[in-house]
Amino acid sequence: MSKCKIIAEIGWNHMGSVELAKKMIDAAVVSGVDFCKFQTWKVENLKDGPWNNDGRIDIYKKAELSEDKHVELIEYCKLKKTKFLTSIFNIKDLDFLLRLGLKTIKIPSHEIYNLELIKKCSENFDQMFISVGACSWKEFENLLNSNLDLNKIYFMHCVSSYPLEEMNVNFPKLIKIKNLHNKIGYSGHLHGIDDAIAAISLGAMVVEKHFTIDNDLPGRDNKFAVLPEDMKKICDYRDSFHNMNIDRGLNVQECESDINKNYRGRWSKN
C-alpha cells in the first residue's frame, strides 16, 4: 500500500506575512509533512455579505496572498524540499495558478457545487484533492457521474464545522465514499490529532490538518490548528502504519526463523 500523504493546511494563518508563512513551512517540514497548503483568493472577488460590516473583510485583505507572495512561497517550498499546494476558490485564478507551474490543486468544500471550476481543474492539473464538506450525498453522486477523470482525484471526507466535535466526525461516511472511489482522503477540523490517526487507520491516502506554530496568533483557524509536535505525531504514526502494512506474505518470516527452528518443542523433553 502507498504511504498516506500529509497536508499541513497553513491556509491564511500567516495573516499575509511571508516571513511567518516561511516559519510555518519550516516547522511543517521538520514535522514530516508532504504538502504545505495555502489558499488563493482575491478580496476583489468577494461577494457582499456580513463580512463587509463585522471586520472580517479587513482580515481577508490582510491575509490575501499577492501573486508575488505566491511565487516566493513556491520557491521557498522547493528550497525546503516540500510541495506547495493551494486551494482555489474562483475560476478567475486558474490561469494564474497554471502559469506558476502547479501540477496539483485543492478544491475546498466551499466549491464542491462548482462543477465548472472542478471540470476546468480536472482538465488542467495532474492531481486534485476535493473536500466534500457541507455536501449532500446527491451532490457527491452527481460529482462522481460528471465525466471527470477520477483517476487523478482524491475525495476527502470533511465536515465543515470549525472546530468539529467528535460526535460529528462521521467516519462511516468516509467508509461509504471509500466503497465508491478508491482514492480517499480526510480533511479534519477536530481539535487535536485523534481524527487524523483514525483516518489513517481507516485507509485514508491523504490527510489534511490545519497547522500553526502558535495557537495564540490572530485568526480563527490558528485557534484549533495543530502545533508542530502534534503534526510530527501524525506523520510518525503514518510512517509506522505504513510499515505495519507491508505485505510479508503468509509463511514464516526471516525474523521468526530462530523461533521456528529452535524453540518448537523446547519444553517437551522426552
Side-chain angles (χ1 to χ4, degrees), residues 22-71:
K22 288 179 178 179
K23 290 179 181 179
M24 291 180 174
I25 291 170
D26 289 342
V29 169
V30 171
S31 298
V33 306
D34 300 282
F35 293 89
C36 290
K37 192 176 87 65
F38 296 87
Q39 296 181 9
T40 298
W41 36 261
K42 294 183 176 69
V43 172
E44 66 186 43
N45 295 323
L46 188 64
K47 294 180 178 179
D48 289 334
W51 38 81
N52 287 36
N53 303 309
D54 62 11
R56 277 182 286 174
I57 194 166
D58 295 323
I59 295 174
Y60 297 155
K61 288 177 180 177
K62 183 178 181 180
E64 179 182 322
L65 289 176
S66 67
E67 294 189 2
D68 288 343
K69 288 179 179 179
H70 275 79
V71 172

Side-chain angles (χ1 to χ4, degrees), residues 32 38 93 105 187 232 243 256:
F38 296 87
D93 294 318
I105 196 71
S187 179
K232 187 176 188 305
N243 289 337
E256 302 175 287

Side-chain angles (χ1 to χ4, degrees), residues 1-6 129 154 182-186 199-200 203-207:
M1 64 183 297
S2 60
K3 187 182 292 189
C4 177
K5 301 176 179 69
I6 305 297
F129 302 125
Y154 292 80
N182 63 347
K183 291 186 175 181
I184 184 69
Y186 174 68
I200 294 169
M205 301 171 72
V206 55
V207 167

Side-chain angles (χ1 to χ4, degrees), residues 10 41 47 67 140 234 242 266:
I10 295 171
W41 36 261
K47 294 180 178 179
E67 294 189 2
F140 176 68
I234 294 172
H242 175 76
R266 66 184 296 195

Side-chain angles (χ1 to χ4, degrees), residues 98-236:
L98 290 173
R99 289 199 308 273
L100 295 177
L102 300 183
K103 303 298 183 183
T104 303
I105 196 71
K106 170 75 186 295
I107 303 291
S109 293
H110 308 63
E111 301 304 318
I112 190 67
Y113 77 96
N114 193 340
L115 289 181
E116 180 186 11
L117 174 63
I118 293 171
K119 287 180 178 179
K120 284 291 186 181
C121 287
S122 178
E123 292 168 1
N124 287 282
F125 291 95
D126 295 338
Q127 183 173 244
M128 298 173 64
F129 302 125
I130 302 180
S131 282
V132 294
C135 170
S136 72
W137 191 250
K138 182 64 176 176
E139 286 177 312
F140 176 68
E141 288 181 323
N142 288 342
L143 197 56
L144 278 178
N145 297 315
S146 57
N147 296 318
L148 297 171
D149 184 355
L150 295 177
N151 290 323
K152 63 173 64 175
I153 295 174
Y154 292 80
F155 287 115
M156 301 179 69
H157 172 57
C158 177
V159 179
S160 298
S161 178
Y162 308 86
L164 180 63
E165 295 184 15
E166 280 185 352
M167 65 186 68
N168 294 326
V169 171
N170 196 18
F171 275 137
K173 186 175 181 181
L174 181 148
I175 299 299
K176 178 71 172 178
I177 296 171
K178 184 181 177 183
N179 289 337
L180 296 177
H181 183 68
N182 63 347
K183 291 186 175 181
I184 184 69
Y186 174 68
S187 179
H189 304 123
L190 183 74
H191 187 75
I193 67 172
D194 288 356
D195 58 338
I197 299 299
I200 294 169
S201 301
L202 289 170
M205 301 171 72
V206 55
V207 167
E208 176 184 37
K209 288 287 285 186
H210 285 261
F211 180 78
T212 188
I213 56 174
D214 185 349
N215 291 129
D216 292 326
L217 287 169
R220 178 199 65 185
D221 293 355
N222 273 308
K223 306 307 178 189
F224 67 89
V226 298
L227 294 167
E229 55 266 32
D230 281 334
M231 185 62 85
K232 187 176 188 305
K233 290 177 183 177
I234 294 172
C235 293
D236 286 348

Side-chain angles (χ1 to χ4, degrees), residues 217-269:
L217 287 169
R220 178 199 65 185
D221 293 355
N222 273 308
K223 306 307 178 189
F224 67 89
V226 298
L227 294 167
E229 55 266 32
D230 281 334
M231 185 62 85
K232 187 176 188 305
K233 290 177 183 177
I234 294 172
C235 293
D236 286 348
Y237 179 79
R238 177 269 315 271
D239 295 341
S240 294
F241 183 77
H242 175 76
N243 289 337
M244 289 186 285
N245 279 279
I246 296 173
D247 188 348
R248 300 297 186 184
L250 303 178
N251 289 313
V252 178
Q253 292 190 54
E254 179 63 29
C255 63
E256 302 175 287
S257 61
D258 180 48
I259 299 297
N260 178 264
K261 293 176 181 178
N262 301 315
Y263 281 65
R264 287 186 173 189
R266 66 184 296 195
W267 298 107
S268 301
K269 182 178 179 180

